[in-house]
C-alpha cells in the first residue's frame, strides 16, 4: 500500500451514497440518516469520511441533483455528520458526472488521478471510470460495509500524519472558495468565466 499513489481528495455522490434515499423525491426530512437502523450505517460512513478529511484528504461532492435541494439536505438534516464547510468543492447539477469529477479536480487544482470517486450506482461508476483518470472503486451495496471498505482502501490511507496533512483539506477548501468568489465577481461585471 505504501507504493500506491495516495489520493488527495474523495469525491462522493449524495443520494443513496452519503445518505439513504433520494432528496429530490423523498425530501430531506425522510432521508435515512441518523443514530439507528439503516440511517446509522450512513452516519458511520460520514464519520469515516470526516476522519479521512482530518487526515488531510479533501472531500468534495459530485451529484446529479438539484443544487438547492441538495444543500437543503446537507444544511438541515439533523443526522448529517458532514457539514457544508467540510467539503472543498461541489459539482451538483443534472450534467454528466465525468464532467463533474473533472470540474472538482479543476476547482481543487489537482489531477484527476488524485481523486477517489464514490457512488452507489454502477452505471455512474463505469461512466466516470471510463472518461476520467479518477480511481473508481466498487462501493459495497450494503451501507453498513462502507466504513470498513474505506478503511481498507489503500490510496486513502496515511501512514503518518504531519501538521501539513492536518491543514491540507482546509487549504483546498479555501482555494476553491476563492476561485468561486472570483468567478462570481467576474460574472457580476459581465466578464465570462469558463469553469
Amino acid at each position: 500500500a505504501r507504493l500506491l499513489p495516495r489520493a488527495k481528495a474523495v469525491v462522493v455522490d449524495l443520494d443513496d451514497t452519503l445518505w439513504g434515499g433520494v432528496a429530490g423525491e423523498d425530501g430531506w426530512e425522510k432521508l435515512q440518516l441518523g443514530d439507528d437502523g439503516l440511517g446509522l450505517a450512513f452516519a458511520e460512513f460520514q464519520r469515516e469520511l470526516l476522519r479521512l478529511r482530518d487526515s488531510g484528504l479533501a472531500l468534495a461532492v459530485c451529484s446529479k441533483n438539484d443544487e438547492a435541494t441538495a444543500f437543503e439536505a446537507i444544511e438541515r438534516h439533523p443526522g448529517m455528520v458532514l457539514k457544508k464547510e467540510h467539503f472543498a468543492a461541489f459539482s451538483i447539477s443534472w450534467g454528466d458526472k465525468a464532467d463533474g469529477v473533472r470540474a472538482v479536480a479543476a476547482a481543487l487544482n489537482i489531477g484527476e488521478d488524485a481523486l477517489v470517486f464514490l457512488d452507489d450506482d454502477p452505471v455512474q461508476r463505469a461512466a466516470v471510470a471510463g472518461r476520467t483518470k479518477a480511481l473508481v472503486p466498487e462501493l459495497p451495496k450494503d451501507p453498513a460495509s462502507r466504513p470498513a471498505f474505506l478503511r481498507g482502501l489503500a490510496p486513502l490511507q496515511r501512514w503518518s500524519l504531519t501538521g501539513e496533512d492536518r491543514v491540507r483539506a482546509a487549504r483546498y477548501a479555501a482555494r476553491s472558495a476563492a476561485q468561486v468568489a472570483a468567478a462570481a465577481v467576474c460574472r457580476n461585471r459581465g466578464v465570462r468565466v469558463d469553469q
Side-chain angles (χ1 to χ4, degrees):
R2 288 177 192 254
L3 301 177
L4 292 172
R6 292 194 305 179
K8 294 182 179 178
V10 178
V11 184
V12 66
D13 175 48
L14 295 175
D15 294 332
D16 289 323
T17 301
L18 199 62
W19 54 60
V22 179
E25 294 173 12
D26 303 327
W28 67 265
E29 306 92 332
K30 294 183 182 175
L31 295 175
Q32 295 173 309
L33 185 59
D35 293 329
D36 54 20
L38 190 56
L40 179 59
F42 287 101
E44 289 298 323
F45 180 63
Q46 288 191 24
R47 284 185 189 94
E48 190 60 29
L49 288 168
L50 185 58
R51 184 193 66 78
L52 290 171
R53 183 186 183 276
D54 291 344
S55 76
L57 283 149
L59 298 181
V61 169
C62 180
S63 177
K64 284 192 175 191
N65 227 312
D66 173 71
E67 190 174 78
T69 301
F71 282 134
E72 183 178 36
I74 291 169
E75 293 169 350
R76 296 188 67 188
H77 198 290
M80 281 293 295
V81 173
L82 294 170
K83 308 299 182 194
K84 192 173 178 182
E85 62 267 17
H86 291 131
F87 295 99
F90 294 90
S91 177
I92 303 172
S93 71
W94 295 109
D96 181 76
K97 280 199 181 175
D99 291 339
V101 167
R102 281 193 209 94
V104 166
L108 298 178
N109 196 29
I110 59 177
E112 293 172 23
D113 59 346
L115 302 176
V116 174
F117 177 66
L118 303 175
D119 195 315
D120 69 296
D121 186 340
V123 173
Q124 297 300 329
R125 288 196 307 262
V128 170
R131 297 185 49 226
T132 74
K133 295 178 181 176
L135 173 64
V136 185
E138 187 172 335
L139 194 66
K141 289 181 183 180
D142 179 8
S145 301
R146 293 175 184 172
F149 172 77
L150 289 182
R151 287 190 294 273
L153 198 57
L156 300 181
Q157 304 315 308
R158 300 293 183 260
W159 298 104
S160 63
L161 191 61
T162 66
E164 173 72 14
D165 292 330
R166 289 185 178 91
V167 298
R168 184 177 297 116
R171 199 172 57 241
Y172 283 134
R175 182 185 308 146
S176 179
Q179 289 173 341
V180 169
V185 168
C186 289
R187 280 193 299 275
N188 289 339
R189 293 183 177 167
V191 177
R192 183 178 168 183
V193 178
D194 294 320
Q195 290 188 353

